[in-house]
Amino acid sequence: MEVSLNYQVNQSNKFFQGTEEVEQEGIYDKLSSEYLFLRTDYGISKKLTLSLATGYHLNKALKEQDTTKTLSNSGMGDLIIFPRYDIYNETKGNIRSEMTLGIGVKLPIGSHTDTVDSSRSNTPEYLPPTLQLSTGGTDIMLYALYFREYKKQKFRVFANSLYIRKGYN
């Protein structure tokens, strides 16, 4: 069993459109985020491992330029359910080989339609996408790992890949 808790802090005053930096004259001054990420892996059997992960946004904030106004949001993000199965694991003398495959899903549990309190109009004014707690889309993840160990030489080689099919709402 493995349990991991990460605290992530991000801050930027640069904004991009594609690969080009854009001036944010009169719009935003700074984007910041504080995030707690919890992941746990549990070996259900010798060949099957289940990984569960989720995150909580302590504060996602955009500060408007030349004002004291800051848009912010906090709450749960997404839930990741990610089982992996060891399809091949064999030791022959000095050499151990392993191949593992996994398929997982990222489910939105946080909101993607949070609004700003606005008494100016009857229509909701949504927070910018960078402040939403989730995209609202469900992602599918495919995983593969190949591992080879030469025990006497104390040498290990591995390759892994992760493909994410992004979901959109």
Side-chain angles (χ1 to χ4, degrees), residues 4 42 79 113 122 130 137 148 155 164:
S4 171
Y42 182 73
L79 173 67
T113 57
N122 292 333
T130 53
R148 185 121 178 173
F155 181 72
I164 301 174

Side-chain angles (χ1 to χ4, degrees), residues 13 15 22-29 63-66:
N13 60 357
F15 296 87
V22 294
E23 292 297 322
Q24 293 292 310
E25 292 179 27
I27 302 177
Y28 299 114
D29 192 29
K63 182 184 175 300
E64 290 188 1
Q65 235 176 21
D66 302 326

